[in-house]
Amino acid sequence: MILQFSPIVVLLLFCGIISAGLTVIGYYNRALPIARPFVLFMAAESVWLFGSAGEMMSTQLQTVLLINNIEYPAMMTVPVALLFIAFVYSGREHYLTKKIVPLFFIVPALVCLLVYTNPWHLLYYTGFHLETGGGTMIWIYDHGPLFWILIAYNYLVGLAALFLMAGRYLSGHKSYRWETIILVIAAGIPFLINIAYVIHAAPFPNYDLTPVAFFLTGVIISAGLLRYQLFSAMPVAYSRVFSTLHDGVFVLDREFRVIDLNPAAERLTGMQAASAMGKNLSSLVPETAGL
């Protein structure tokens, strides 16, 4: 088997290694409800990145198709895992029960079955052809009608995730609004990149950079999850009660850093919530230094 390397392959491998590391870090933070779908998201993303790199490294069609079959369950899991993250982030994690979660994988399982049986019906891929770009040979998939049905399904899943995330902007505490905007943009970019690839409007039409875009989404989520824990699952409705309490209330992480405070606590510290987030409680309220 002849192997070939290119800057895109190096990029995919680098992102795959980082993604695998974030999967491990997310696992060690699995006590947070949002860490569980995050681990699923990053683990599937890691397989997708390494698989994409393997496809681009190989020049033999049989090897490329074998790698594609291995990575396809991961490719189908990434959008679903992002939807799970949106459920938890928007305070709707109670919908993710043991009976409901498997239902989200019915369509992905059917798609994988269609991919595996494609040589018998040619409804998913109608053919393959080799193209050369940047000094490397790339196998291009010719898509059949069932592929476009899958694309429509994945975009619907993505829109549902964006809708749930955006809902927190309207119903959550004002200090979370910039966080929500950034997260919605980060979650939306992969789908825009994928659309550009599918309609051949991307600057590099032969390279599907969708897994790299999803990787960037995962990095942004991990930054909030691990550094500031801003993505911990707090029901959206809580803010309405939280903000009306007359007593100052601080919500802390395990290291006594402030992750939320109500208006009464803002008056107590003389600081806006956005300025107080991430700071140690003892620096805001000296009387608590002995805690």
Side-chain angles (χ1 to χ4, degrees):
M1 181 177 66
I2 301 174
L3 295 180
Q4 56 183 357
F5 290 88
S6 68
I8 296 295
V9 170
V10 175
L11 174 64
L12 290 168
L13 292 174
F14 174 77
C15 292
I17 293 172
I18 300 299
S19 181
L22 291 175
T23 303
V24 175
I25 294 174
Y27 177 79
Y28 281 107
N29 287 269
R30 62 188 181 278
L32 296 174
I34 205 169
R36 284 166 283 182
F38 172 77
V39 168
L40 177 64
F41 178 86
M42 296 308 299
E45 176 66 14
S46 301
V47 175
W48 190 1
L49 286 164
F50 286 125
S52 296
E55 287 188 65
M56 291 189 181
M57 290 170 62
S58 177
T59 59
Q60 296 180 340
L61 180 58
Q62 288 184 337
T63 303
V64 169
L65 293 178
L66 175 60
I67 296 174
N68 182 71
N69 288 345
I70 293 174
E71 71 177 289
Y72 229 89
M75 292 170 56
M76 295 301 302
T77 297
V78 168
V80 175
L82 182 63
L83 180 61
F84 290 168
I85 291 174
F87 268 111
V88 178
Y89 179 72
S90 62
R92 294 177 174 85
E93 67 276 9
H94 55 278
Y95 290 112
L96 300 179
T97 65
K98 293 181 179 180
K99 293 183 178 180
I100 293 179
V101 166
L103 299 179
F104 288 97
F105 292 97
I106 292 177
V107 172
L110 291 175
V111 170
C112 290
L113 180 62
L114 291 171
V115 172
Y116 298 154
T117 59
N118 187 75
W120 287 278
H121 52 72
L122 298 178
L123 293 174
Y124 202 83
Y125 300 128
T126 59
F128 314 91
H129 63 278
L130 196 61
E131 292 190 5
T132 302
T136 59
M137 294 181 291
I138 305 171
W139 282 101
I140 304 298
Y141 299 87
D142 299 321
H143 300 130
L146 292 180
F147 172 83
W148 299 107
I149 296 175
L150 161 70
I151 287 294
Y153 168 78
N154 280 340
Y155 289 168
L156 286 175
V157 171
L159 285 174
L162 293 175
F163 177 80
L164 290 172
M165 292 177 182
R168 181 148 180 181
Y169 179 89
L170 300 175
S171 56
H173 192 278
K174 61 183 179 181
S175 60
Y176 289 98
R177 289 183 176 175
W178 275 112
E179 164 202 320
T180 301
I181 291 173
I182 294 173
L183 183 59
V184 168
I185 293 174
I189 289 177
F191 296 98
L192 295 177
I193 295 295
N194 185 256
I195 291 173
Y197 167 73
V198 168
I199 66 175
H200 304 289
F204 309 101
N206 291 335
Y207 298 103
D208 184 4
L209 298 180
T210 306
V212 177
F214 271 116
F215 165 75
L216 295 177
T217 301
V219 169
I220 292 174
I221 294 174
S222 65
L225 172 68
L226 304 176
R227 181 175 176 84
Y228 300 110
Q229 296 189 6
L230 298 181
F231 300 130
S232 57
M234 290 182 285
V236 174
Y238 101 101
S239 61
R240 299 173 184 171
V241 177
F242 189 62
S243 61
T244 59
L245 294 174
H246 296 293
D247 295 326
V249 178
F250 298 86
V251 181
L252 311 176
D253 62 14
R254 288 172 292 183
E255 297 180 4
F256 296 98
R257 293 176 300 193
V258 175
I259 59 175
D260 203 1
L261 65 161
N262 66 351
E266 290 179 346
R267 292 191 294 271
L268 178 65
T269 61
M271 298 181 64
Q272 295 294 319
S275 301
M277 301 283 274
K279 294 186 178 181
N280 193 281
L281 178 62
S282 61
S283 66
L284 302 177
V285 185
E287 293 81 359
T288 64
L291 292 177

